[in-house]
Amino acid sequence: INKNKEDSITKALILCSYNDYGSEAKFHSIEQANNERERGHKFINHLILRDKTQEIDNVKFNFLLDDIPIMVYSLLNVLRSRVKDAIIVGNKDSEQIFNYFMEYYRPHRYGKNFKFVNEGKNLSLSNTIKRGRDNLNLDSNELTLLLPADIPFFSDLYPIIKDGIDRNYIHYIIKTL
């Protein structure tokens, strides 16, 4: 691969929003699990679909993994990368997590520009990408990282988590949500 400076990725869209399946969400999740069992899968995919008709918007990006919202792992990875500008698109709960992340890690100290954009009312992947792209100031043909925030990259992250996160602060964040 020919690596040129213009080929390096310095902008990212971190997606903390996805489609609303409405009252059909539970049905689709159970149907997928049953299909996987019938095909003999030993490990069933835990499909988490969004249902905005419920009282609580259970967005998987905000679920906890080792007491930390999943989206924080993606934010930490982008913070440690060569990405300079990142737009995070999500709901109001994701925004609260983002604000606490910004307060604690202060990415601007490292020359990073992170910005949150609310997902709006049109809950779809295409809308999420559009809202992020519209706020990222992309040049034509510029390479951009598209990162779903529910896929944390674990490589080299645990030493930072172990040594770099104040667990009391994380528990404070969770209690205030």
Side-chain angles (χ1 to χ4, degrees):
I1 296 175
N2 190 6
K3 285 237 173 213
N4 298 324
K5 184 177 180 186
E6 56 270 4
D7 288 339
S8 60
I9 296 174
T10 61
K11 295 184 180 179
L13 295 177
I14 303 174
L15 311 178
C16 299
S17 177
Y18 59 109
N19 299 0
D20 176 20
Y21 284 80
S23 59
E24 297 293 312
K26 186 175 181 180
F27 168 78
H28 287 294
S29 295
I30 292 170
E31 181 179 49
Q32 178 173 331
N34 288 336
N35 288 339
E36 289 182 14
R37 279 189 199 96
E38 288 173 13
R39 289 190 297 242
H41 291 207
K42 295 195 186 298
F43 301 101
I44 304 301
N45 182 7
H46 296 302
L47 181 64
I48 301 169
L49 299 175
R50 192 173 194 177
D51 178 1
K52 288 287 286 181
T53 66
Q54 297 297 309
E55 184 178 338
I56 296 173
D57 188 6
N58 282 320
V59 180
K60 59 189 173 185
F61 312 103
N62 302 338
F63 288 4
L64 303 181
L65 178 62
D66 196 23
D67 293 332
I68 299 168
I70 292 173
M71 68 178 274
V72 171
Y73 291 92
S74 295
L75 293 171
L76 282 170
N77 280 303
V78 171
L79 179 65
R80 293 183 62 231
S81 74
R82 291 184 179 161
V83 168
K84 299 289 182 210
D85 300 306
I87 298 293
I88 296 83
V89 182
N91 71 359
K92 63 181 175 55
D93 297 325
S94 299
E95 184 174 17
Q96 261 189 304
I97 294 166
F98 170 80
N99 288 337
Y100 286 120
F101 176 88
M102 295 295 288
E103 178 186 318
Y104 187 75
Y105 286 101
R106 299 188 309 214
H108 62 277
R109 292 184 307 169
Y110 307 102
K112 308 285 184 162
N113 180 31
F114 285 25
K115 179 182 173 189
F116 187 88
V117 175
N118 188 280
E119 65 190 348
K121 297 201 182 293
N122 179 4
L123 301 177
S124 66
L125 177 61
S126 60
N127 179 63
T128 300
I129 293 170
K130 181 180 180 339
R131 290 182 76 85
R133 185 189 64 223
D134 290 350
N135 285 277
L136 200 52
N137 301 320
L138 293 170
D139 296 333
S140 62
N141 300 325
E142 185 172 9
L143 295 174
T144 306
L145 174 65
L146 185 64
L147 179 61
D150 62 337
I151 306 175
F153 299 123
F154 288 109
S155 63
D156 296 323
L157 195 55
Y158 279 114
I160 288 171
I161 292 169
K162 187 179 90 183
D163 299 329
I165 292 182
D166 179 350
R167 294 272 179 213
N168 292 328
Y169 186 78
I170 294 298
H171 288 286
Y172 166 76
I173 290 172
I174 292 164
K175 287 177 187 174
T176 59
L177 291 177

